[in-house]
């Protein structure tokens, strides 16, 4: 359970949320502009995780949020990086999924990047490729993805 305050997003924040949502859910393009569809930002105050019998954890926001204050360059380059990976590097996306994450071969695509990793999707399946180190710029992202592609190829 996520606890926090939800506020309707406006302006540039709403535009960023809309873009990121459509990257992960392209079929939503048919209704995302309806008047009764809105984007909300949740400012979390805590998280209560029940992960099975006897496995209950309470977390503070710093324990589950990704810090982005130092990642302006990466955030500005995110959409271009997503498009580049999906247009020019589908083989690498499949390598990340199959050799680094143990997934089945599929038409894997990138749906988002942040300092801690990359989100991937094939059909209804989503994966998270965690980066071994934080990346905060477009150049650092490029270097990380090249490095991980090399590691994936070496596993083959």
């Amino acid at each position: 359970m996520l606890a926090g305050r939800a506020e309707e997003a406006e302006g540039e924040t709403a535009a960023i949320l809309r873009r990121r949502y459509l990257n992960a859910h392209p079929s939503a393009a048919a209704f995302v502009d309806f008047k009764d569809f809105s984007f909300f930002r949740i400012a979390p105050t805590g998280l209560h995780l029940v992960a099975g019998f006897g496995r209950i954890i309470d977390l503070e926001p710093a324990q589950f949020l990704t810090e982005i204050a130092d990642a302006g360059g990466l955030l500005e380059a995110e959409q271009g990086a997503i498009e580049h990976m999906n247009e020019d590097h589908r083989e690498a996306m499949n390598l990340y999924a199959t050799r680094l994450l143990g997934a089945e071969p599929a038409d894997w695509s990138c749906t988002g990047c942040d300092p801690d990793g990359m989100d991937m999707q094939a059909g209804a399946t989503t994966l998270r490729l965690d980066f071994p180190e934080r990346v905060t710029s477009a150049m650092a992202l490029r270097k990380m993805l090249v490095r991980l592609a090399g590691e994936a190829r070496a596993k083959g």
Side-chain angles (χ1 to χ4, degrees), residues 85 89-110 118-122 125-130 145 148-149 151-153 155:
M85 291 303 295
H89 298 290
R90 292 307 266 259
E91 178 214 1
M93 296 298 299
N94 198 50
L95 289 173
Y96 300 144
T98 58
R99 295 192 182 164
L100 299 181
L101 299 172
E104 293 295 321
D107 186 23
W108 291 100
S109 63
C110 178
M118 179 172 67
D119 299 318
M120 303 169 57
Q121 188 174 51
T125 304
T126 59
L127 295 175
R128 174 74 173 177
L129 178 63
D130 292 323
L145 293 176
L148 291 173
E151 289 176 15
R153 284 186 181 93
K155 285 191 171 199

Side-chain angles (χ1 to χ4, degrees), residues 12-127:
E12 178 151 348
T13 299
I16 292 168
L17 293 175
R18 180 184 192 281
R19 174 184 57 79
R20 296 193 92 223
Y21 182 78
L22 289 173
N23 283 341
H25 308 283
S27 64
F31 57 80
V32 74
D33 292 321
F34 288 2
K35 289 186 184 257
D36 63 347
F37 192 98
S38 299
F39 289 96
F40 285 78
R41 183 182 179 284
I42 299 174
T45 57
L47 183 135
H48 181 75
L49 174 66
V50 179
F53 184 75
R55 295 177 57 205
I56 299 172
I57 303 167
D58 288 312
L59 300 173
E60 298 295 320
Q63 295 173 289
F64 62 87
L65 292 179
T66 297
E67 178 59 50
I68 59 170
D70 61 341
L74 174 65
L75 300 177
E76 287 177 22
E78 180 191 28
Q79 188 61 33
I82 291 168
E83 291 169 5
H84 175 69
M85 291 303 295
N86 292 338
E87 291 169 10
D88 300 330
H89 298 290
R90 292 307 266 259
E91 178 214 1
M93 296 298 299
N94 198 50
L95 289 173
Y96 300 144
T98 58
R99 295 192 182 164
L100 299 181
L101 299 172
E104 293 295 321
D107 186 23
W108 291 100
S109 63
C110 178
T111 61
C113 302
D114 61 60
D116 294 332
M118 179 172 67
D119 299 318
M120 303 169 57
Q121 188 174 51
T125 304
T126 59
L127 295 175

